[in-house]
Each structure stands twice: as C-alpha cells, then as structure tokens.
C-alpha cells in the first residue's frame, strides 16, 4: 500500500515536470516566431514570460543555426 502511494507521488511529479517542460518549449517556439516577425526582446519577454537573457540566447542560437 505504501509503495503505491510513493509510486503515485513520483508519477505525479514526473507528469508535472513534463507539462512544465512542454510549456517552456512552446514559449521558446513562440519567441522565435516573434523574433522573426520583428518584435523587440522586451515585448517577447512580456508575452512569453521568458527572461530577456533566454530570448537573446534563442536569438543567438537561431542566427547560428541559419
């Protein structure tokens, strides 16, 4: 019985972590589209909740990959 409660807690933690990672990936995708459309870094940060540093890093990675 105790093992199933522990297992359920671990499973729920994993699911929550997966949802959070999915949200962060979606925010990065949106930020890249906004950069391509000419939005400023402060605007992107406001709408995606990503930090300006994270957006600048995405910008550098995207420029490097192109």
């Amino acid at each position: 019985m105790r093992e199933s409660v522990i297992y359920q807690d671990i499973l729920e933690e994993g699911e929550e972590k997966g949802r959070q990672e999915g949200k962060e990936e979606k925010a990065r995708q949106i930020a890249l589209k906004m950069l391509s459309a000419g939005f400023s870094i402060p605007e992107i940060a406001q709408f995606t909740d990503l930090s300006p540093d994270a957006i600048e890093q995405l910008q550098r990675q995207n420029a490097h990959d192109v």
Side-chain angles (χ1 to χ4, degrees), residues 37-55:
F39 284 85
S40 70
I41 290 175
E43 288 174 314
I44 297 169
Q46 177 185 359
F47 292 117
T48 63
D49 292 328
L50 294 173
S51 71
D53 289 339
I55 297 165

Side-chain angles (χ1 to χ4, degrees), residues 7-64:
Y7 176 77
Q8 187 64 33
D9 287 345
I10 292 169
L11 184 61
E12 288 173 8
E13 268 184 49
E15 290 173 348
E16 179 60 32
K17 183 177 180 183
R19 281 190 290 274
Q20 185 61 34
E21 288 174 356
K23 288 177 184 178
E24 290 170 4
E25 178 60 28
K26 187 65 177 174
R28 287 190 291 271
Q29 291 173 358
I30 291 169
L32 285 171
K33 288 180 182 180
M34 291 178 78
L35 283 166
S36 295
F39 284 85
S40 70
I41 290 175
E43 288 174 314
I44 297 169
Q46 177 185 359
F47 292 117
T48 63
D49 292 328
L50 294 173
S51 71
D53 289 339
I55 297 165
E56 289 173 3
Q57 183 178 7
L58 279 173
Q59 190 176 37
R60 285 191 300 273
Q61 287 174 344
N62 193 46
H64 189 266

